[in-house]
Amino acid sequence: MQKGLTFVLGGTKSGKSKFAEAQFRAEQHICYVATGVSQHPDAEMQLRIQRHQARRSQYWETAEQYRDLAQLVRNQKMDGYLIDDLTMLITNCFYELVLAQTEPEQLDRYLEHLTWDELQSLTDQLLAEVQALLVAQRQTEQAMVIVSDEVGLGIVPATKQARLLRDLYGEANQLVAQAAEHVYLVVSGLPQQLK
């Protein structure tokens, strides 16, 4: 296990989560933070969650949350934290903040009419959640592995909603990559060390 912060990026089904899990030993006291909290359960998402749960060591604790991760890290001393994943953290926080302002059926219209200042405020709130987690890790000096999707290699999304999220993921990934001691990109199950 590497000390400090390790960041693991990859595409869908690239093997990034398996690689991240392998950074810790099964018998260690690890907190597996599952940010893919299902707000509106569907069978396919539930199956994905169950597969991830089945791979975890029986000795690891699981925290299913996407908010206040900095507080979680500060409140308990562990051998390490595995945050899987940053993309779902941003997604869930984004919809929580936006849907507090509008109804789901008005979401696209609401986003289309955001001013530059409103968009920047939303971005700042979301990235503050990530910054707080990074500060907590640095202050507590606990080992942490953060997993995220690399979403910037595809085409430009057709909708404003998808473009906003893609850009938020990219900005959050940059913050974590800059703070991390070790950064890996996993492609087809093969980890490439970037830093």
Side-chain angles (χ1 to χ4, degrees), residues 18-183:
K18 278 177 124 173
F19 175 75
E21 292 163 8
Q23 302 309 297
F24 297 112
R25 294 187 312 278
E27 68 276 6
Q28 287 184 286
H29 192 210
I30 303 302
C31 182
Y32 195 118
V33 183
T35 62
V37 179
S38 190
Q39 301 295 326
H40 306 285
D42 66 62
E44 186 269 337
M45 188 61 170
Q46 292 296 68
L47 184 59
R48 284 176 180 264
I49 290 170
Q50 289 168 2
R51 286 181 181 154
H52 272 252
Q53 289 170 339
R55 279 201 322 249
R56 294 178 204 154
S57 166
Q58 62 179 337
Y59 300 106
W60 294 3
E61 293 180 23
T62 299
E64 294 183 352
Q65 67 184 76
Y66 59 89
R67 288 292 243 164
D68 303 319
L69 298 190
Q71 195 65 34
L72 176 72
V73 170
R74 285 192 176 96
N75 284 346
Q76 54 187 349
K77 181 69 174 158
M78 308 289 282
D79 291 333
Y81 286 84
L82 198 161
I83 315 296
D84 195 0
D85 72 35
L86 184 64
T87 313
M88 285 304 296
L89 181 152
I90 294 292
T91 302
N92 284 330
C93 288
F94 173 84
Y95 286 112
E96 182 180 294
L97 289 171
V98 172
L99 291 176
Q101 305 300 317
T102 189
E103 297 298 318
E105 59 274 3
Q106 296 296 319
L107 181 60
D108 287 328
R109 182 175 166 77
Y110 173 80
L111 293 174
E112 285 296 331
H113 290 90
L114 282 178
T115 66
W116 176 256
D117 288 341
E118 290 168 334
L119 182 57
Q120 194 57 54
S121 175
L122 176 63
T123 299
D124 291 346
Q125 289 178 71
L126 291 165
L127 295 181
E129 191 81 25
V130 177
Q131 284 284 24
L133 174 61
L134 296 175
V135 168
Q137 184 279 323
R138 191 168 49 251
Q139 289 174 342
T140 61
E141 298 181 340
Q142 295 183 87
M144 181 178 291
V145 176
I146 298 177
V147 179
S148 189
D149 292 318
E150 175 48 70
V151 296
L153 300 175
I155 61 172
V156 176
T159 67
K160 184 168 186 175
Q161 187 178 151
R163 287 191 303 273
L164 287 173
L165 282 166
R166 184 229 22 210
D167 291 350
L168 285 165
Y169 302 147
E171 289 191 50
N173 284 349
Q174 287 183 57
L175 283 176
V176 177
Q178 289 170 2
E181 284 86 1
H182 308 280
V183 179

